Amino acid sequence: MTNPHRHYKAGERIRLGPESVLEVVSGVVALTILHEDGAEVLLGLLGPGQVLAGHSRDSGCLQIYAHVETAIWVQPWSKAVLQPGFADRLRDRLRTLEAWAAMQARPSLERRLFGILSLLAEQFGRPTSQGEEIAVGITQAQLASAVGATRSTVTRLLGRLRRRGLLIAIRSGRGERYCLPRWEGGGPAADTGPSLQKPCDFAPLHRHALV
C-alpha cells in the first residue's frame, strides 16, 4: 500500500493546491508571505495535528515551508471535511490565526515579541524545571520577521526580557531555544517593572504570561 504521507527536508518549500488541505503528521510547517520589496513575514508555525488550507494565487505570495524535517498528509477539501474531528482542528486553526494576528497588531514591539513567544510556548511548550520551553527552534531573524522589526532590535528586546526575568535562553546545538519562566501564584515572583499586558490587549494564550 502506498504511503499517503509526503516528506520534506528542513527549508524545503511545500506546494499546496487551492482545493487541498494539509495536515501536519510530524515536524513543523512554517507559513510566510513575501512582500513586493522582498521582505518575508512569518505568519505562524503549525505542529502535528494542525491543518492548513490551500490558497489561490490571488491570495498574494503566501509560501509554505518545512521548518524542520516534516511529514504531511494532503487531501482534497471534499474528503478532508469528512474526517472525524476535522471541524475541531479547523476551529483551532482559526483561533491560532486570530491570536497570532492580535499579537502582531500590538503597538509595542516588546509586547509584540513577548506575545509571539507566548503563543509559541502555548503551541509547542514543554514543561521543564525552569518553566515552559518552546520545543522548536526559531531564529532571531524569524522572530524579527514575525514582529516587523530588525534582527538587531529583536536581539536587544530579547536581552531586555531576559534581564527582567521574563525569558530564559537555553543553548541547543548551534542555536538556542527559549523558555518562559513559571510564576508562583500566577504572577512574577518579584517586581519586574511595568506589565507587558494592557487591558484592551488580547491576552496571550500562555498561562504564565503577565497580566
Side-chain angles (χ1 to χ4, degrees):
M1 183 176 179
T2 305
N3 188 339
H5 301 161
R6 302 180 186 177
H7 297 265
Y8 296 86
K9 297 179 181 179
E12 191 173 355
R13 187 173 177 183
I14 300 171
R15 301 187 183 276
L16 187 66
E19 297 300 322
S20 299
V21 178
L22 171 159
E23 180 177 343
V24 182
V25 177
S26 64
V28 180
V29 166
L31 176 65
T32 69
I33 186 167
L34 188 65
H35 291 303
E36 293 181 356
D37 61 0
E40 191 170 21
V41 178
L42 180 64
L43 299 178
L45 299 177
L46 294 85
Q50 293 190 289
V51 297
L52 179 64
H55 296 269
S56 67
R57 294 184 179 180
D58 295 335
S59 300
C61 295
L62 288 171
Q63 300 185 86
I64 308 168
Y65 292 96
H67 186 67
V68 297
E69 189 171 338
T70 298
I72 63 171
W73 183 23
V74 176
Q75 299 181 87
W77 265 104
S78 58
K79 290 186 177 180
V81 295
L82 301 177
Q83 294 294 322
F86 178 78
D88 291 335
R89 291 194 294 275
L90 187 60
R91 178 188 60 192
D92 290 343
R93 174 61 186 153
L94 291 173
R95 287 176 174 173
T96 300
L97 280 172
E98 290 172 350
W100 191 277
M103 297 308 166
Q104 289 183 317
R106 287 177 161 183
S108 162
L109 269 177
E110 185 176 13
R111 288 192 290 128
R112 205 180 302 168
L113 177 61
F114 186 73
I116 293 296
L117 289 169
S118 298
L119 290 177
L120 291 173
E122 180 71 17
Q123 190 176 0
F124 299 102
R126 179 175 59 195
T128 69
S129 59
Q130 294 178 298
E132 201 79 9
E133 179 185 343
I134 301 173
V136 60
I138 185 165
T139 66
Q140 293 184 10
Q142 289 168 328
L143 287 172
S145 75
V147 301
T150 63
R151 181 175 176 177
S152 59
T153 296
V154 165
T155 300
R156 176 175 57 81
L157 292 177
L158 288 172
R160 184 180 178 190
L161 290 173
R162 287 196 292 265
R163 289 191 297 273
R164 294 178 63 186
L166 299 175
L167 185 70
I168 299 170
I170 302 172
R171 296 296 301 178
S172 176
R174 290 180 295 178
E176 60 183 10
R177 290 188 178 181
Y178 301 103
C179 178
L180 273 65
R182 184 175 295 106
W183 307 108
E184 296 179 1
D191 181 15
T192 55
S195 172
L196 295 178
Q197 194 72 10
K198 298 296 182 182
C200 292
D201 277 341
F202 286 90
L205 298 183
H206 182 56
R207 59 185 177 279
H208 303 307
L210 291 183
V211 293

